[in-house]
Amino acid sequence: MDKRAKILEIIESVSKKKIRPGPDESLFDSGMLDSFALPDMVTGLEEAFGIRIPDADLNPRKFDSVQRIEQYLESRL
Amino acid sequence: MSYLAGFGAALPERVVTNEELAGQIGKTAEWIRNMSGIEERRWAGPETSVADLAVAAGQDCLRRAAAPTSEIRLLLVASGSGERRFPGPASEVAARMGLGETPALDVPIASAGSLFAMVLANDLAPKWGPALVIGAEIMSRVVASGPVEPGVAMLFGDGAGACLVHPEHGKAKLIGSKLASDGTFCGDLKLEADAGLTMNGRTVILQAARKIPRVIRQVLATAGVRAGDVEVYLMHQANQNLMDRVADALNVDRGRFFSNIVRYGNTSAASMLIAAAQWELAEGFRPGGMVCLAGFGAGFHWGAALAEGV
């Protein structure tokens, strides 16, 4: 499974809804995810991509859209 | 190591329901309930000060602990909502409680302030003597003082909690603690002198959901206690959804986290001790029973402490 597909799977899993966000669509401002889904999504990304995201990187803006998540992961992988 | 000798609390009489607040913030009562777990909160009247609530909670604590005022050698008052830039409420509280020239220290840390003060008192009490710790807030006035986002305005209530930390005896012994601070995100939850309260809720939740379970695990591991062996968690009553996530992260039943947020909302630095005071009345310490206290808030400051019933 490619990176984007994995990310979309995690987003759908934590939102508990069938959603398909556009690459640069805000996951939070659009209402697809609420604030409390954010920690779950970050944990899901850590598990799926085998990384540990340090607290200093836990800035919601880094995880606001599929594209931004991809950019962050590229900086870490 | 010192002892927790008792708790106390004071809450304003006026109940503000979600229905009353909803119109003011442009949301529904149900939305407030779903986002926070809160159904109502208490608001102090215009004649009530932070010191008024603090004195009432301190007196309730000493009465419940059967401790004379003359025994107190140190006072710590945590508050982020004092009416003055300086002095903070501590010296006024000391004077009004009849503590004479007892040193009175302000701990101007919102939310986690009472945990910080309690842990400091644990270390200071063996040298100074019995320490009275109070967390007191009038957050409704903070919210009313400037434009505040609906998701922030809905959260807060007023009140005060207290605990007596005694160097020689009490109902539970403090057997472990850890405090931490990280200013990386200090701008994400702040009350500036001439501006309203602002909070980046996503940052706060993301950071809190990671840091609180981690610090609890660290304190428990140092004491050799498993999360599931803790009888009750007395945590800063920030938001029910956050408390549930912390419980899930620790893999303990959500019911282990004592909660009164449905009735009192988030009373910032007062909330952990108000929760402790109510839990003590309802259940209380039993010999060998482990109780974990935890807090997180603006700064960010966070931490946890572990007490064992004696």
Side-chain angles (χ1 to χ4, degrees):
Chain A
M1 193 185 291
D2 72 7
K3 191 186 297 169
R4 179 165 294 189
K6 261 190 189 177
I7 293 168
L8 289 168
E9 191 176 82
I10 292 163
I11 292 168
E12 201 165 276
S13 166
V14 299
S15 75
K16 299 181 178 71
K17 289 178 285 198
K18 273 268 177 212
I19 52 172
R20 192 57 38 168
D24 57 355
E25 189 178 4
S26 169
L27 300 170
F28 301 97
D29 294 341
S30 65
M32 278 184 270
L33 297 183
D34 67 26
S35 305
F36 288 97
L38 183 53
D40 295 340
M41 185 179 75
V42 169
T43 302
L45 293 170
E46 287 183 321
E47 288 169 358
F49 293 97
I51 56 169
R52 176 85 181 96
I53 300 175
D55 284 7
D57 285 355
L58 293 177
N59 182 331
R61 283 184 291 276
K62 291 183 195 280
F63 305 97
D64 187 47
S65 68
V66 173
Q67 213 164 58
R68 287 188 177 180
I69 294 169
E70 283 176 332
Q71 285 166 0
Y72 176 74
L73 292 174
E74 274 159 25
S75 75
R76 293 293 315 278
L77 294 171
Chain B
M1 298 285 184
S2 302
Y3 296 82
L4 297 176
F7 298 102
L11 290 150
E13 285 185 13
R14 188 183 168 216
V15 176
V16 177
T17 63
N18 285 355
E19 284 72 18
E20 179 181 346
L21 190 62
Q24 297 174 30
I25 64 172
K27 296 288 183 182
T28 65
E30 188 186 6
W31 181 85
I32 297 173
R33 178 73 167 84
N34 289 339
M35 293 300 289
S36 65
I38 298 165
E39 289 184 0
E40 60 190 41
R41 71 285 292 145
R42 302 293 181 92
W43 281 5
E47 73 291 346
T48 303
S49 68
V50 168
D52 289 334
L53 294 175
V55 168
Q59 288 171 336
D60 185 50
C61 177
L62 295 184
R63 181 184 55 75
R64 283 169 52 173
T69 304
S70 59
E71 197 179 58
I72 303 304
R73 294 289 177 269
L74 181 64
L75 174 71
L76 296 101
V77 179
S79 181
S81 59
E83 290 84 1
R84 298 177 293 254
R85 296 284 293 275
F86 65 83
S91 62
E92 182 184 348
V93 173
R96 289 174 52 186
M97 290 190 70
L99 293 176
E101 296 183 355
T102 300
L105 180 67
D106 286 296
V107 180
I109 296 178
S111 301
S114 54
L115 178 80
F116 270 61
M118 191 186 76
V119 171
L120 290 173
N122 177 44
D123 288 338
L124 292 169
K127 180 179 179 184
W128 293 63
L132 181 61
V133 174
I134 301 174
E137 302 278 19
I138 299 187
M139 292 302 294
S140 62
R141 220 167 277 157
V142 169
V143 169
S145 68
V148 176
E149 295 270 325
V152 179
M154 69 172 179
L155 292 173
F156 293 106
D158 306 334
C163 74
L164 177 61
V165 179
H166 199 287
E168 292 159 4
H169 56 79
K171 296 167 183 170
K173 188 172 188 178
L174 279 161
I175 60 170
S177 65
K178 182 173 173 59
L179 300 178
S181 303
D182 177 1
T184 304
F185 298 97
C186 64
D188 284 83
L189 176 52
K190 63 184 178 183
L191 173 63
E192 290 182 316
D194 301 316
L197 175 69
T198 57
M199 177 168 83
N200 182 338
R202 288 173 201 155
T203 302
V204 174
I205 290 162
L206 185 52
Q207 293 285 330
R210 306 275 288 210
K211 286 178 161 71
I212 301 170
R214 190 167 66 220
V215 75
I216 289 174
R217 281 193 207 101
Q218 289 167 340
V219 169
L220 296 183
T222 302
V225 174
R226 290 177 302 181
D229 293 335
V230 174
E231 292 189 348
V232 66
Y233 290 84
L234 301 171
M235 186 179 139
H236 164 46
Q237 308 282 297
N239 184 310
Q240 186 62 52
N241 295 324
L242 176 62
M243 286 193 279
D244 289 346
R245 265 175 172 68
V246 173
D248 293 348
L250 293 170
N251 201 25
V252 299
D253 190 280
R254 291 177 175 185
R256 295 271 184 99
F257 278 67
F258 180 87
S259 176
N260 61 12
I261 197 168
V262 66
R263 293 283 161 259
Y264 305 122
N266 177 339
T267 56
S268 191
S271 81
M272 188 190 78
L273 293 179
I274 294 172
Q278 294 193 329
W279 168 79
E280 188 193 25
L281 282 178
E283 298 179 43
F285 294 103
R286 62 165 199 86
M290 295 291 175
V291 174
C292 183
L293 302 104
F296 177 94
F300 294 125
H301 301 289
W302 71 99
L306 185 64
E308 181 178 8
V310 296

